[in-house]
Structure formats: structure tokens, C-alpha cells
């Protein structure tokens, strides 16, 4: 979506206005991603930390390797990984969530309004909680951030093939939770 | 339903509030506006929330976050950190927070009211788990601000990374058992490219970095907004007018952000602003005195007794607690010397898990080596 050219010069040459533009362009979506994983309260800090970290690490951004967006999501995912317990807590809360979506931080954080059955929703939350961290990272970068396999590979700095196998495994478990096939029948891989 | 859509619907993608967006932007711009200091990424685990960044970054960043960064997010439990050593005074002899604050108010009024510079020198110790999550290491930083009070005289920022060591004797034993690795290097991505290298914590100190501060970079912050010299000069010198001024400033700030519930938050925000003044703002003795007087009238501050700071100074501990959520408390720990009215240390605590699943308390402590007006000059070499 956002090529480096969208923000002008390479990051190392960005002036304060340039970095502000980068922030303005991407903060809301990075926040949405982090809040979806950790809840709003933690996201208030972590989403902003993503950009502070990006600024400090701007010298390590290599435009030859791709776009800004996967790079930012990679940083955000790293920060999320330091809050695994918040993520687990949030998924546990979703397990108990009534179907009408009463959530931790009031109406703005309402979730699950379109997942109609509490049972399905609970199973889905449980499936997400049970994924390995690496599998969950790959799945949520695709599902929430809409990254391609290639971009996910760059964000996580793993080979594209690894993204593929992580996604396959994660999506199989999610589909099973949604009432699809039995994961035990497809557990090789 | 598509499985990816179901995941999206379950987790949602909340929009940030205007306040959160603006606060993050302010923090970023404060960082970007900083004069260059020692490259920080390799010396820091990026994942700690704002406070850890603020603790050893420069004041602009600390102050840009205002309440959010001086209010420490702690994970509950009693504050009993390695950084500050509680004294042995019998509990019955401990003065109340109010008495400590009033004593500080009286002392602060007598401190120097002018000088060539307003100087703030601090040492920060930040704890983190080693790359294998088995023991705790502590990084130390020194930073100095020298804000010129004389027209035409240069202001300075000075910073130095002081190295890292295992935090306690027990941590040192665990470090030795692990083969005494140093520096500490986290598995990163150097092998696969340059996009996101792993973190590296150097054990050895870095060079002393001296930077000029000019223009807006010399302005202190109060309630997330920079203070002009005119505003600084006109800060109220009595508690009630100061409270009115801070409430007005906070109300002005909150106007833009309807999500702030001032009815519920005003006392907390005024308290946070008072802590900002004491620890970060170059003000007159009269304003500092008024700030302590104002704090003595605010709810929620309790005394924790006599404590000894990492630099060996003895002071009185104060903690400000505010229940914010079932699982998370907001806390400010401040140690002051009631006989001078000066802050001695600030502290934050977070709880992490070791590889074996045991909870471990990680402490960040900022120790004040100097704060106030002085005719001394900074060491620029």
C-alpha cells in the first residue's frame, strides 16, 4: 500500500515533518492492529512506542528490502511479543465474552458483533490462544493488517515458505474452531 | 464465513482516540526534535512501555508524555525495589506524607533562586531480563541538562551510557553459570538482512556525548505543552493560585480531547503536573515551595518511610497510587529530601516472567545528582 516513495526520502533523511507524516499516515492502522491484539489500554502505549522505535531504528531500514508498512508492522509485532500475557488475557476475556460484545474498555472496544454465536466466538478465541506465538503472529499480520505473504515474511524476517506453513497450520485450526473440519484429522503440517 | 474475516471480527481494529493519537505524536516529535545523542536502539529493549524510554531518554521525551510518562504503570504489589533501600526506622516514627511535603515546601523556598544555568543531572538504572530470560541485568545511563539563564550563553545536553551488569549477586551467579556472556545479544535479524537487528546491550560504558541545545529544544514541558519563558516567569508562587493555573492548563489541554473526564481525573492530573514541576521544570524556589504545599493538599499520596537511593543519599519516600483498573495500578514513586526540598529519586516497577515462569520485578530508578540553579559550568569534554 505505502511504498517508501510515499514518504519521500529514505527514513534516515526524513526531517521531523517527514516523520510526522509517516506517523499520521500509519498510526491509526498500527494502533488498530496492536489494540486488536492487546486491547486499547496497552495499545495506547505500544502503538506510539512502535513509531519511537521506528525512529530510533531508522538507520536500519533498508529501502531496497521493501516498504515502510511491513517494516512498521514488524516493529509493532516485536513490541506485541513483549506483552504476550496481555494478549493471552485478552483472548481469555473473549472466551467469556457475551455475544453482544461487552468488552474491557466500553463500547469503543466492542468486539464480536458480527460473530453471532458466543460458542463459536469462544472456540475461535481459544484456538487463537492455543496457536504458537509464531503462528499467531503470521496469521494476525495477514488477517488484521492485510499483509501479503511476502510482506509478512519481511515483517517477521522469516522466509516466505515459513510464512506459508505457519499460515496453513494456523488457518486450519481457526477453520476447525469455526465448525469446519476436525483439526485432529489434519494435524500433520 | 471466511476464517480471516472471522478473526478480524472477533478481535476488531479499534480506532485510536484523538488524545492517544496526539500524545503519541507529541512523543515522537519530541524525540525527533532532540539533538542527536548516543544511538540508543542497541542499548535498549524497545518493548518497554513509555516510562522506560522516558527514564533514560532526555527530558523532552519525559515531559512530552507528561502524566502518561511520569505516572508509572506498575503491576501491583508492594513497592519494594532493589534500587531504593528502606531504612530501619520504626513505623510509629514515620512522618506523614503531608508533614514531609510541608517540610519540603519550607526548605524549597530557601534554595538558590538564580544562577548561570539551571542544571539537572540524573543517573538512570534500567533493569531487563537477559536474552535467555534467566536473570536480570541493569543498564545505567547518565544524562545532564544545562539550561542557560544568561542571554547569549549556550545550553547543553550531555549523555553517557554507563554500561550494564547483572543486577544482584544472585543474578551475577546466574550470569556466571550461563558462561558470563557479554555483551548481551538478543537473537535478531542481522543474518537475514538489515530490517530489524536484534537488540544488543553493551557491558562497557560508551562515550560522553555533548550536544548543544537551542531554540525550542530548551523549553521545558508542563502538562504535555512546552513552557515559554514568559509562562515560566509567571508561574504562581502560592498553592491555591498554582492549583488554579494547573487546572486551567489541564482544562485547556483537555478541551481538544473529549475522552478526558476531567471530573474524575483532575486531581490525578494536577498531582502529576506537580511531580513534573518538582522533577523537571526550572522554576523559582517560590514556585517549588508552592508545588509542595499544593501536593500536601492533594489526596492519594502516602509516605513509605526513610529510603536510601542508589547513590547513598537518604530521603523520604512518597508514593502516589490511583486505582485505574482491576489489574493495573498507576503509581508514582518519588524520594525527596525534606531538608532541601529536592527530589532524590524516581522509580517505576514492572513485573515480568523468567524462562522458568517465576515472576520477577524489574525496576527502573532515576537518581537525581543535581537539580536547580547554579553558577557551576558543565563539563564539555
Amino acid at each position: 500500500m505505502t511504498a517508501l516513495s510515499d514518504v519521500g526520502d529514505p527514513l534516515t533523511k526524513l526531517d521531523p515533518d517527514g516523520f510526522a507524516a509517516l506517523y499520521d499516515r500509519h498510526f491509526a492502522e498500527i494502533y488498530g492492529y496492536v489494540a486488536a491484539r492487546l486491547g486499547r489500554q496497552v495499545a495506547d502505549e505500544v502503538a506510539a512506542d512502535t513509531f519511537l522505535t521506528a525512529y530510533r531504528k531508522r538507520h536500519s531500514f533498508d529501502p531496497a528490502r521493501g516498504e515502510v508498512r511491513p517494516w512498521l508492522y514488524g516493529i509493532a509485532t516485536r513490541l506485541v511479543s513483549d506483552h504476550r500475557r496481555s494478549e493471552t488475557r485478552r483472548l481469555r476475556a473473549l472466551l467469556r465474552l457475551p455475544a453482544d460484545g461487552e468488552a474491557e474498555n466500553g463500547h469503543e472496544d466492542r468486539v464480536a458483533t458480527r460473530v453471532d454465536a458466543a460458542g463459536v466466538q469462544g472456540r475461535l478465541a481459544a484456538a487463537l490462544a492455543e496457536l504458537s506465538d509464531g503462528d499467531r503472529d503470521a496469521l494476525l499480520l495477514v488477517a488484521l493488517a492485510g499483509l501479503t505473504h511476502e510482506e509478512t515474511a519481511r515483517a517477521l524476517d522469516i522466509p516466505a515458505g515459513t510464512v506459508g506453513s505457519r499460515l496453513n497450520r494456523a488457518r486450519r485450526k481457526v477453520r476447525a474452531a469455526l465448525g469446519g473440519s476436525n483439526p485432529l484429522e489434519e494435524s500433520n503440517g | 464465513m471466511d476464517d480471516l474475516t472471522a478473526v478480524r471480527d472477533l478481535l476488531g481494529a479499534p480506532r485510536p482516540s484523538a488524545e492517544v493519537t496526539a500524545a503519541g505524536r507529541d512523543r515522537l516529535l519530541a524525540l525527533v526534535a532532540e539533538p542527536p545523542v548516543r544511538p540508543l536502539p542497541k542499548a535498549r529493549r524497545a518493548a518497554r512501555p513509555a516510562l522506560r524510554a522516558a527514564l533514560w531518554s532526555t527530558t523532552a521525551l519525559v515531559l512530552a508524555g507528561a502524566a502518561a510518562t511520569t505516572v508509572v504503570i506498575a503491576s501491583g504489589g508492594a513497592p519494594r525495589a532493589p534500587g531504593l533501600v528502606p531504612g530501619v526506622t520504626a513505623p510509629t516514627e514515620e512522618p506523614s506524607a503531608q508533614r514531609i511535603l510541608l517540610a519540603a515546601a519550607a526548605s524549597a523556598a530557601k534554595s538558590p533562586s538564580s544562577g548561570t544555568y539551571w542544571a539537572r543531572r540524573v543517573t538512570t538504572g534500567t533493569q531487563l531480563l537477559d536474552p535467555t530470560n534467566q536473570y536480570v541485568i541493569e543498564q545505567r545511563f547518565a544524562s545532564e541538562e544545562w539550561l542557560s539563564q544568561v542571554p547569549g550563553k549556550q545550553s547543553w545536553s550531555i549523555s553517557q551510557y554507563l554500561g550494564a551488569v547483572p543486577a544482584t549477586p544472585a543474578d551475577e551467579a546466574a550470569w556466571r553459570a550461563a558462561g558470563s556472556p557479554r555483551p548481551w545479544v538478543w537473537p535478531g535479524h542481522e543474518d537475514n538482512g538489515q530490517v530489524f537487528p536484534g537488540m544488543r546491550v553493551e557491558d562497557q560504558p560508551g562515550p560522553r556525548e555533548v550536544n548543544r541545545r537551542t531554540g525550542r529544544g530548551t523549553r521545558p514541558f508542563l502538562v504535555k505543552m512546552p513552557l515559554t519563558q514568559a509562562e515560566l516567569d509567571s508561574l504562581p508562587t502560592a498553592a491555591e493560585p498554582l492549583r488554579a493555573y494547573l487546572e486551567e492548563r489541564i482544562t485547556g489541554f483537555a478541551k481538544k480531547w473529549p475522552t478526558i473526564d476531567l471530573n474524575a481525573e483532575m486531581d490525578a492530573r494536577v498531582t502529576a503536573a506537580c511531580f513534573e514541576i518538582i522533577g523537571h521544570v526550572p522554576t523559582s524556589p517560590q514556585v517549588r515551595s508552592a508545588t509542595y504545599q499544593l501536593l500536601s493538599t492533594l489526596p492519594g499520596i502516602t509516605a513509605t518511610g526513610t529510603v536510601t537511593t542508589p547513590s547513598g543519599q537518604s530521603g523520604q519516600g512518597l508514593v502516589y497510587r490511583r486505582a485505574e483498573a482491576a489489574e493495573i495500578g498507576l503509581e508514582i514513586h518519588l524520594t525527596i529530601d525534606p531538608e532541601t526540598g529536592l527530589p532524590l529519586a524516581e522509580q517505576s516497577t514492572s513485573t515480568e516472567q523468567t524462562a522458568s515462569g517465576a515472576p520477577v520485578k524489574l525496576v527502573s530508578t532515576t537518581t537525581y545528582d543535581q537539580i536547580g540553579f547554579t553558577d557551576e559550568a558543565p563539563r564539555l569534554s
Side-chain angles (χ1 to χ4, degrees), chain B residues 41-126:
Chain B
K42 69 177 174 183
R44 169 175 180 251
R45 188 177 193 183
R48 288 301 129 252
L51 187 83
R52 182 168 291 171
L55 277 170
W56 54 262
S57 186
T58 53
T59 307
L61 179 55
V62 175
L63 297 177
T69 49
T70 49
V71 176
V72 177
I73 296 178
S75 303
R80 185 48 54 92
L84 302 178
V85 183
V88 291
T89 320
T92 50
E93 297 171 15
E94 298 291 3
S96 69
Q98 194 183 32
R99 276 182 57 197
I100 293 167
L101 289 165
L102 289 175
S107 311
K110 293 179 230 153
S111 54
S113 59
S114 64
T116 319
Y117 292 97
W118 184 81
R120 179 180 187 268
R121 294 191 295 122
V122 300
T123 307
T124 301
T126 299

Side-chain angles (χ1 to χ4, degrees), chain A residues 23-24 36 40 44-45 49 52 56 60 65 71 75 78 82 85 89-90 111-112 121 143 157 171, chain B residues 3 8-12 14-15 21 25 27 41 44-45 47-48 50 189 192 194-196 327 351:
Chain A
Y23 180 93
D24 292 343
R40 298 183 71 97
D44 284 355
E45 294 283 359
D49 283 354
L52 298 188
R56 295 199 183 94
S60 72
R65 283 182 51 82
W71 184 66
I75 293 171
R78 278 307 195 84
D82 277 274
R85 286 187 306 156
R89 219 164 28 223
R90 176 163 158 78
V111 293
Q121 174 188 312
D157 213 49
R171 294 188 68 173
Chain B
D3 52 341
R8 262 197 304 281
D9 286 350
L10 176 72
L11 298 178
R15 302 282 302 177
T21 302
R25 200 172 194 280
R27 284 175 59 207
R44 169 175 180 251
R45 188 177 193 183
R48 288 301 129 252
H189 305 286
N192 292 330
Q194 288 294 307
V195 170
F196 205 112
E327 295 185 9
T351 305

Side-chain angles (χ1 to χ4, degrees), chain A residues 14-17 19-21 23-24 27-29 31-33 35-37 40-46 48-49 51-53 55-57 59-62 65 71 74-76 78-79 82-83 85 89-91 94 97 108-116 121-122 124-125 128 139-140 142-144 146 154-159 167 171-172 174-175 178, chain B residues 1-34 36 39-42 44-51 53-54 56-57 61 68-69 71 73 75 186-199 259 324-328 330 350-353 359-360:
Chain A
L14 280 182
D15 58 15
D17 288 344
F19 242 89
Y23 180 93
D24 292 343
F27 181 77
E29 67 164 308
Y31 181 93
Y33 169 72
R37 297 193 62 172
R40 298 183 71 97
Q41 193 160 17
V42 180
D44 284 355
E45 294 283 359
V46 171
D49 283 354
F51 289 83
L52 298 188
T53 303
Y55 178 73
R56 295 199 183 94
K57 291 185 178 291
H59 300 291
S60 72
F61 177 77
D62 181 0
R65 283 182 51 82
W71 184 66
I75 293 171
R78 278 307 195 84
L79 299 186
D82 277 274
H83 295 268
R85 286 187 306 156
R89 219 164 28 223
R90 176 163 158 78
L91 290 170
L94 290 172
L97 206 64
E108 280 185 290
D109 213 6
R110 195 124 94 203
V111 293
T113 47
R114 292 184 2 230
V115 180
D116 43 9
Q121 174 188 312
L124 182 55
L128 289 175
L139 176 69
L140 296 183
V142 171
L144 299 175
R154 277 202 295 278
L156 298 176
D157 213 49
I158 55 177
L167 271 176
R171 294 188 68 173
R172 199 159 52 237
V174 166
R175 286 196 200 109
L178 290 170
Chain B
M1 183 193 294
D2 170 27
D3 52 341
L4 296 179
T5 307
V7 169
R8 262 197 304 281
D9 286 350
L10 176 72
L11 298 178
R15 302 282 302 177
S17 69
E19 185 198 10
V20 164
T21 302
R25 200 172 194 280
D26 286 350
R27 284 175 59 207
L28 177 68
L29 292 183
L31 178 65
V32 172
E34 285 298 329
L40 297 170
K42 69 177 174 183
R44 169 175 180 251
R45 188 177 193 183
R48 288 301 129 252
L51 187 83
W56 54 262
S57 186
L61 179 55
T69 49
V71 176
I73 296 178
S75 303
W186 277 254
H189 305 286
E190 291 99 319
D191 295 340
N192 292 330
Q194 288 294 307
V195 170
F196 205 112
M199 186 180 69
T259 52
E324 187 77 5
E327 295 185 9
I328 297 175
L330 298 184
S350 65
T351 305
E352 304 263 335
Q353 261 181 334
V360 57

Side-chain angles (χ1 to χ4, degrees), chain B residues 130-135 137 166 170-184:
Chain B
D130 82 290
T132 62
N133 288 347
Q134 288 174 9
Y135 57 91
I137 53 182
D171 293 313
E172 186 175 344
W175 170 69
R176 288 191 194 287
S180 305
R182 62 182 185 183
W184 291 270

